[in-house]
């Protein structure tokens, strides 16, 4: 019996245990247990070095070629290497006018001590409980992956999205980073997203204690929805290349309501020559890693849409957590969660999104607004957020 057969039952029981006041775990059959142990062995590769972070987690510095991405069946034969960089990074154009970006403080990124040795990459060590949670939450997130519908109870969002019928080579923004009260299996996130049909890539920040064993700290995250594979962070074909910025690292400090916010700059864009999708951090365009084009069907060629904004999840009969800063927006970046310098890449050029962005919030608890050309060069300032308490669809 594979893990896919076990997951639906596990998910129902997991949510039932949390919301009846008891956090516990199902007893697995011997066959199920062996399947998970096999998966653990695949994920936890021999480490050249271990990095213990102060929040009880261990990152193993794994040989670049031994990382979990290369267990993907479509990546068995490849020519990727640790020093690989984009062959055609997108170019910037001079602005029509200089406009200030929001006054914010960048979150300091990187593992202590400089990270891993050259030729290795940091991969968070996975326990059996971690694996079960990751599988469950990936399935749960995938079941709600299609926005702008009301047939997925518990999922709420406030997004600005493109509707222009053009090819998109990338998406990016400065995202203010927040931490809100969340109880598993709830989560709250802010992200950028690129998509084509059923396939999509997300990058941003999240508070997701169910995924991280009760840890309510804010983390960076990515989510991959490629073909039949969908997962958080690295198991679904994302190739980690940074030696000191893992995709699931804790983000500290975070923004405080009414004060100058903390933020991170993230972008996802496609190399127009090799068609791989790169994840980059900060204004210096530091490469964290990439998604090989061969793992996609639709996104293997181009993207047809981009999104910026927030999302939350809670079981349909349980009030949702807040979104963004946890307050209704006040049109002030010291109070509101934002995606600043929101941009797209078209024809390998970083530009402002089309003026006709569609803004959508599926519940009156949440809202979003595009303030337009005030968020820096190039891009828009998109503000989003809302209070806790949404129930159902």
């Amino acid at each position: 019996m594979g893990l896919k057969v076990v997951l639906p039952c596990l998910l129902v029981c997991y949510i039932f245990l949390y919301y009846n006041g008891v956090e516990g775990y199902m007893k697995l059959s011997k066959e199920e247990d062996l399947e998970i142990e096999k998966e653990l062995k695949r994920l936890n590769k021999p480490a050249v070095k271990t990095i213990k972070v102060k929040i009880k987690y261990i990152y193993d510095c794994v040989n670049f070629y031994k990382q979990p991405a290369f267990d993907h069946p479509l990546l068995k034969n490849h020519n990727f290497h640790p020093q690989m960089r984009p062959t055609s990074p997108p170019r910037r154009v001079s602005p029509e006018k200089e406009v200030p970006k929001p006054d914010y403080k960048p979150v300091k990124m990187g593992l202590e001590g400089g990270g891993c040795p050259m030729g290795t990459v940091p991969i968070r060590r996975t326990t059996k409980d971690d694996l079960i949670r990751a599988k469950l939450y990936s399935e749960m997130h995938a079941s709600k992956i299609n926005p702008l519908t009301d047939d997925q109870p518990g999922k709420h969002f406030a997004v600005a999205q493109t509707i222009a019928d053009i090819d998109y080579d990338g998406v990016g923004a400065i995202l203010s980073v927040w931490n809100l009260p969340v109880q598993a299996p709830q989560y709250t996130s802010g992200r950028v997203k690129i998509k084509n049909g059923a396939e999509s890539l997300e990058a941003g920040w999240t508070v997701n204690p169910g995924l991280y064993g009760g840890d309510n700290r804010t983390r960076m995250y990515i989510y991959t929805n490629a073909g039949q594979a969908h997962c958080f962070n690295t198991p679904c074909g994302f190739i980690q290349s940074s030696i000191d910025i893992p995709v699931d690292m804790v983000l500290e400090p975070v923004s405080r309501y009414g004060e100058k916010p903390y933020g991170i700059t993230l972008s996802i864009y496609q190399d127009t020559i090799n068609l791989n999708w790169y994840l980059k951090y900060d204004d210096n365009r530091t490469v964290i890693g990439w998604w090989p084009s061969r793992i996609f069907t639709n996104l293997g060629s181009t993207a047809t849409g981009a999104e910026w904004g927030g999302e939350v999840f809670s079981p349909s009969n349980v009030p949702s957590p807040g979104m963004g800063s946890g307050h209704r927006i006040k049109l002030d970046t010291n109070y509101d969660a934002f995606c600043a310098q929101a941009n797209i890449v078209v024809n390998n050029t970083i530009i402002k999104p089309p003026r006709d962005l569609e803004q959508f919030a599926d519940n009156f608890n949440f809202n979003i607004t595009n303030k337009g050309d005030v968020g820096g060069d190039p891009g828009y300032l998109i503000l989003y957020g809302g209070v806790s308490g949404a129930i159902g669809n």
Side-chain angles (χ1 to χ4, degrees):
M1 182 188 301
L3 282 176
K4 287 186 178 179
V5 178
V6 182
L7 285 173
C9 180
L10 281 173
L11 179 56
V12 171
C13 293
Y14 190 73
I15 292 176
F16 176 82
L17 288 168
Y18 263 109
Y19 282 92
N20 283 274
V22 180
E23 181 180 352
Y25 298 93
M26 292 180 58
K27 281 191 174 182
L28 301 177
S29 70
K30 184 176 180 181
E31 187 177 5
E32 293 164 350
D33 193 67
L34 288 173
E35 185 74 22
I36 289 176
E37 291 292 344
K38 181 180 178 181
E39 184 80 351
L40 280 174
K41 186 175 181 181
R42 182 185 73 81
L43 291 173
N44 290 324
K45 309 289 184 162
V48 174
K49 172 185 174 182
T50 61
I51 300 174
K52 294 182 179 180
V53 295
K54 56 186 176 183
I55 51 173
K56 80 180 181 180
Y57 292 111
I58 295 176
Y59 283 94
D60 289 324
C61 295
V62 175
N63 183 295
F64 172 85
Y65 298 101
K66 300 294 185 181
Q67 62 179 293
F70 294 126
D71 292 322
H72 193 292
L74 296 178
L75 299 179
K76 292 299 183 182
N77 299 305
H78 67 86
N79 58 358
F80 303 124
H81 56 84
Q83 287 75 42
M84 188 169 170
R85 292 295 180 268
T87 53
S88 61
R91 58 185 177 272
R92 293 179 176 270
V93 295
S94 299
E96 298 174 359
K97 60 178 180 179
E98 290 295 334
V99 287
K101 59 185 176 183
D103 190 14
Y104 80 102
K105 295 176 282 189
V107 176
K108 184 179 179 181
M109 302 286 281
L111 295 173
E112 295 179 359
C116 292
M118 295 299 295
T120 68
V121 292
I123 304 293
R124 191 167 69 89
R125 187 175 299 177
T126 304
T127 67
K128 182 182 292 187
D129 291 341
D130 290 336
L131 179 58
I132 293 173
R133 284 191 297 267
K135 295 283 186 181
L136 296 180
Y137 278 83
S138 295
E139 292 291 322
M140 187 164 62
H141 192 72
S143 71
K144 301 164 183 63
I145 203 68
N146 184 26
L148 306 188
T149 63
D150 62 359
D151 59 355
Q152 299 292 351
K155 176 73 174 287
H156 301 288
F157 49 90
V159 297
Q161 65 174 10
T162 57
I163 57 175
D165 186 18
I166 59 176
D167 291 339
Y168 297 88
D169 301 328
V171 63
I174 303 169
L175 292 86
S176 60
V177 174
W178 299 82
N179 184 274
L180 299 180
V182 176
Q183 180 182 358
Q186 300 172 327
Y187 65 76
T188 184
S189 303
R191 81 292 193 278
V192 297
K193 181 176 181 178
I194 196 84
K195 56 189 177 179
N196 186 341
E199 294 189 325
S200 59
L201 300 172
E202 298 177 26
W205 63 267
T206 188
V207 182
N208 192 335
L211 183 62
Y212 295 106
D215 187 349
N216 279 78
R217 291 175 176 85
T218 303
R219 291 176 176 271
M220 186 166 69
Y221 86 98
I222 61 172
Y223 189 83
T224 304
N225 192 35
Q228 298 300 309
H230 39 258
C231 68
F232 287 98
N233 303 326
T234 57
C236 286
F238 178 81
I239 298 174
Q240 173 83 28
S241 62
S242 171
I243 65 172
D244 65 339
I245 304 179
V247 293
D248 58 356
M249 74 174 295
V250 170
L251 301 175
E252 290 178 336
V254 297
S255 305
R256 295 169 62 93
Y257 193 66
E259 299 179 7
K260 183 189 294 188
Y262 284 88
I264 57 174
T265 302
L266 293 175
S267 61
I268 302 171
Y269 73 83
Q270 188 172 44
D271 187 310
T272 56
I273 293 179
N274 61 37
L275 301 184
N276 299 329
W277 289 93
Y278 283 84
L279 175 66
K280 288 200 167 185
Y281 163 75
D282 74 24
D283 290 334
N284 294 322
R285 319 311 262 181
T286 302
V287 174
I288 299 176
W290 66 89
W291 293 268
S293 62
R294 67 179 73 177
I295 71 173
F296 299 105
T297 302
N298 300 330
L299 280 173
S301 55
T302 189
T304 55
E307 279 184 19
W308 305 260
E311 62 180 71
V312 301
F313 169 75
S314 187
S316 58
N317 62 337
V318 178
S320 73
M323 179 188 294
S325 70
H327 298 263
R328 298 189 186 280
I329 61 176
K330 299 181 66 173
L331 304 181
D332 187 324
T333 55
N334 286 349
Y335 295 88
D336 303 331
F338 60 74
C339 298
Q341 293 188 350
N343 62 79
I344 56 174
V345 181
V346 175
N347 294 327
N348 209 34
T349 303
I350 301 171
I351 61 173
K352 290 174 288 193
R355 295 183 181 277
D356 58 348
L357 287 183
E358 181 178 30
Q359 300 168 55
F360 190 93
D362 75 326
N363 187 281
F364 66 87
N365 282 42
F366 311 117
N367 56 343
I368 185 164
T369 188
N370 177 15
K371 291 193 70 176
D373 231 348
V374 298
D377 165 43
Y380 293 158
L381 175 62
I382 297 169
L383 307 172
Y384 68 93
V387 298
S388 61
I391 297 179
N393 291 353

